[in-house]
Amino acid sequence: MTAIELHSDPLVIAGEAFRSRLILGTGGAPNLDLLEEALTVSGTEITTVALRRVDPSAPGSLFELLRRTGIRPLPNTAGCFTARDAVRTAQLGREALETDWVKLEVVADERTLLPDPVELLDAAEQLVDDGFVVLAYTNDDPVLARRLEDAGVAAVMPLGSPIGSGMGIRNPYNLAMILEAAGVPVVLDAGIGTASDAARAMELGCDAVLLATAVTRARDPVGMADAMRRAVEAGRLARRAGRIPRRLYAEASTSDEGLADLG
Amino acid sequence: MKVMAMRVTVNGEATDLPAGTSVADLIALLELEPRGIAVAVDGEVVTRRTWGERPLAAGERIEILSIAQGG
């Protein structure tokens, strides 16, 4: 698949097509200038944002940055522990950004930031009923992924490992089960530490990768944004091209035929 | 005639406002750019088009939110 074919291999979520399969979050960037450069270099067409109390003294405007770059903002419900709070926060995000899309995040505790399955499913059902396009951050649990899809979410977004841990994909076996069963896009969300993690997610068959910390807290966020863009593209190309089977022993790529007798 | 004041909470801070202040008035009073902002009063979202028709009452908790960096 050439670069041109890559462009004809769009990521489609809720009927909308995107060329980039990397969703880069805005969280954790040291300043807005670096964030803008990292977003631009990453090629991302969707970026996550949070909702917080307005701070009139904050330098620069994230809102203006997004308008300037044309990157679609995806409001999240980060910091919500209950379905009730997540639904309210999603409604506020819809008001602030005039979008029905939401990254639904309902976590169980501060220490792990792991999704709370019960609250998550409850919130997903309420938001779908309210007309939202829900992209659900979830555990790497095939059953929960199925239940979320049954509830009508537009994408399931299983974690590779806890948010910000950089531990990569801890359960590729569960992820394979999610991918095998899913009828909606699967976005690997959380746990990516470096480029090879992102490439691996795509090689395993994920439709996209969502990451923030791995870029925004890298020593060189712009350099890492470039690496992630290439890793996601490489992983996608490798998945499409088909990897060779793993085998225990060597298999010569050079033929023995015509080998000289030097004895 | 002296305008009666009422005390409300805006983003966690006690604030005195003239009686009859609406959500739209409050946004203007705080000199906030309305785009990219969302408002909840006592936990209920007030949609943008109804900001002008939503008078605030003493004791209400107003949350004014905007987008911030987040993953």
Side-chain angles (χ1 to χ4, degrees), chain A residues 239-259:
Chain A
R239 171 72 184 186
R240 298 271 301 234
R243 64 153 297 141
I244 59 163
R246 289 181 174 85
R247 49 179 87 238
L248 186 57
Y249 293 107
E251 187 189 51
S253 62
T254 307
S255 170
D256 281 346
E257 209 178 294
L259 192 65

Side-chain angles (χ1 to χ4, degrees), chain A residues 226-241:
Chain A
D226 191 17
M228 289 299 183
R229 178 177 63 76
R230 293 164 195 253
V232 167
E233 285 182 4
R236 177 69 179 175
L237 289 167
R239 171 72 184 186
R240 298 271 301 234

Side-chain angles (χ1 to χ4, degrees), chain A:
Chain A
M1 193 164 55
T2 65
I4 289 165
E5 285 169 321
L6 246 188
H7 287 178
S8 63
D9 173 37
L11 166 68
V12 179
I13 300 175
E16 295 206 35
F18 302 92
R19 282 196 305 275
S20 171
R21 290 176 179 271
L22 172 61
I23 302 174
L24 181 57
T26 60
N31 60 63
L32 287 181
D33 289 342
L34 262 180
L35 176 63
E36 181 163 354
E37 203 180 338
L39 285 168
T40 304
V41 165
S42 77
T44 194
E45 294 166 282
I46 306 172
T47 188
T48 58
V49 296
L51 283 156
R52 292 293 180 265
R53 284 174 171 173
V54 68
D55 176 7
S57 67
S61 162
L62 184 58
F63 191 75
E64 284 306 319
L65 186 163
L66 295 174
R67 280 171 52 92
R68 197 162 53 238
T69 56
I71 300 171
R72 177 191 196 116
L74 175 63
N76 69 21
T77 61
C80 293
F81 293 86
T82 63
R84 179 182 172 278
D85 282 359
V87 168
R88 294 268 163 85
T89 303
Q91 290 167 341
L92 287 162
R94 178 165 64 183
E95 278 298 308
L97 289 164
E98 292 165 16
T99 174
D100 292 333
W101 287 40
V102 64
K103 174 185 167 180
L104 176 61
E105 200 175 325
V106 194
V107 297
D109 62 80
E110 296 272 8
R111 187 170 163 81
T112 66
L113 296 179
L114 289 171
D116 182 318
V118 177
E119 298 292 325
L120 173 63
L121 188 57
D122 182 5
E125 286 168 348
Q126 291 186 48
L127 289 170
V128 169
D129 282 349
D130 195 10
F132 279 90
V133 172
V134 179
L135 289 75
Y137 168 62
T138 177
N139 292 295
D140 54 4
D141 174 352
V143 179
L144 182 56
R146 191 171 67 221
R147 292 291 300 269
L148 287 164
E149 186 176 336
D150 290 347
V153 303
V156 292
M157 307 206 293
L159 53 79
S161 50
I163 291 170
S165 70
M167 291 295 284
I169 298 166
R170 303 319 303 162
N171 199 335
Y173 176 75
N174 271 24
L175 190 59
M177 283 203 277
I178 292 172
L179 286 161
E180 200 244 348
V184 293
V186 176
V187 181
L188 196 285
D189 183 359
I192 298 288
T194 187
S196 53
D197 295 331
R200 186 159 183 239
M202 298 306 293
E203 287 171 0
L204 287 168
C206 291
D207 296 281
V209 169
L210 195 164
L211 58 90
T213 313
V215 162
T216 57
R217 301 229 164 100
R219 191 175 61 241
D220 171 7
V222 178
M224 189 59 88
D226 191 17
M228 289 299 183
R229 178 177 63 76
R230 293 164 195 253
V232 167
E233 285 182 4
R236 177 69 179 175
L237 289 167
R239 171 72 184 186
R240 298 271 301 234
R243 64 153 297 141
I244 59 163
R246 289 181 174 85
R247 49 179 87 238
L248 186 57
Y249 293 107
E251 187 189 51
S253 62
T254 307
S255 170
D256 281 346
E257 209 178 294
L259 192 65
D261 180 359
L262 303 172

